[in-house]
Amino acid sequence: MSILLMIILVSVAGGVLSVLAAAFVALKAKAAWVPILISYAIGALLGAVFLEVLPHALQLSSSLEAMSATVLVGILLFFILEKLVLWRHHHGKVGEVHEGQGNQGHDHGRSGLMIMIGDTFHNFVDGILIAAAFLVDVRLGFVTAIAIIAHEIPQEVGDFLILMHSGYTKQQALLFNLLSSMATLAGALGAYFALGLVQHWVPTILGLAAASMIYVAVADLIPSLHRRTELQATWQQIGLIGLGVSSIWLAGELADRI
């Protein structure tokens, strides 16, 4: 099987599977399942970074210092981008309060549209990361895809809830999320043909991929686990994070034997 065909199949399957899994959780399962998915996603992200992505990036990089700087710049960049999104969201909410006089109903699709635009861009970047990883090593491509799918599921659950709160039906929420997931394929195809001409960009892209995974896990997902401080919940979270790390290790071991 060619690298291009594997990239296409993984991009399409990954996007569809993450949306369908999120739809099942958001529309059918209990809300208590979401923290379980988040704990596993954290482990999968950190496992992918420190067991696969960073080691490959360091091997390909001509300078350890340059790669460390790339990861540092990437983390700071994602921090700035998230600050801009938060500022934009806060500014919009203030305007809506004055205009709508504190209406607590749905917002006629405004927040749903914004979340879809942001999610489409995010999926496009995920496609670039998947293609870049496959161009380096098939094993790295598969484990990167697993990590992306794992952290996409809890995010997609949130997207479903926001869309429905914004006034969309369940069917519309599913359709829009499926269409948004196709941006993963677009990003992967674009990256495949572009990266074929600029292979020297691959270490930098992998460094930025590692930075994005670290930032999402540490800044966005881990703080949500601290809302449950009871001992039983803590042990459950630790176990599921370990399961996420172990799944990445196991995926890498199985890929070596294929």
Side-chain angles (χ1 to χ4, degrees), residues 10 31 40 56 58 64 66 70 76 106 109 112 135 146 148 151 161 164 166-167 173 196 203 224 234 253 255:
V10 168
Y40 172 81
H56 279 82
L58 290 170
L64 296 180
T70 299
L76 295 176
H106 68 73
L135 287 172
I146 291 172
I148 287 175
H151 91 266
L161 298 177
M164 288 186 288
S166 192
S224 68
T234 299
E253 291 296 310

Side-chain angles (χ1 to χ4, degrees), residues 34-236:
V34 177
I36 296 177
L37 294 173
I38 291 176
S39 298
Y40 172 81
I42 291 169
L45 283 171
L46 295 179
V49 169
F50 293 105
L51 299 180
E52 297 293 339
V53 178
L54 267 183
H56 279 82
L58 290 170
Q59 288 176 3
L60 295 173
S61 177
S62 59
S63 169
L64 296 180
E65 292 79 6
M67 181 51 58
S68 298
T70 299
V71 175
L72 174 60
V73 169
I75 292 174
L76 295 176
L77 177 61
F78 286 112
F79 169 76
I80 293 171
L81 289 175
E82 189 167 39
K83 277 289 186 180
L84 292 174
V85 171
L86 290 173
W87 177 86
R88 174 83 176 182
H89 176 68
H90 174 73
H91 181 74
K93 284 183 68 178
V94 171
E96 288 177 10
V97 168
H98 287 293
E99 183 179 338
Q101 296 180 348
N103 180 19
Q104 297 300 316
H106 68 73
D107 59 6
H108 306 287
R110 290 194 296 275
S111 62
L113 178 61
M114 289 181 63
I115 199 68
M116 279 296 94
I117 293 174
D119 195 39
T120 299
F121 175 77
H122 186 197
N123 290 335
F124 186 83
V125 173
D126 283 345
I128 294 175
L129 301 182
I130 290 173
F134 267 104
L135 287 172
V136 174
D137 184 73
V138 172
R139 165 180 169 171
L140 180 60
F142 278 115
V143 297
T144 300
I146 291 172
I148 287 175
I149 292 171
H151 91 266
E152 278 291 327
I153 292 174
Q155 176 187 316
E156 295 287 355
V157 171
D159 290 348
F160 269 97
L161 298 177
I162 292 172
L163 282 168
M164 288 186 288
H165 173 73
S166 192
Y168 293 93
T169 66
K170 293 180 180 181
Q171 292 77 13
Q172 289 173 328
L174 177 60
L175 176 61
F176 290 154
N177 273 278
L178 284 173
L179 291 175
S180 175
S181 72
M182 290 300 100
T184 303
L185 177 60
L189 290 176
Y192 175 82
F193 292 107
L195 290 175
L197 302 176
V198 286
Q199 288 291 332
H200 60 280
W201 285 16
V202 171
T204 300
I205 292 177
L206 290 176
L208 293 175
S212 70
M213 292 178 181
I214 293 172
Y215 187 83
V216 168
V218 174
D220 290 339
L221 299 184
I222 287 180
S224 68
L225 300 187
H226 295 319
R227 298 170 186 168
R228 299 181 62 192
T229 57
E230 59 272 22
L231 186 59
Q232 181 179 357
T234 299
W235 282 115
Q236 181 189 61

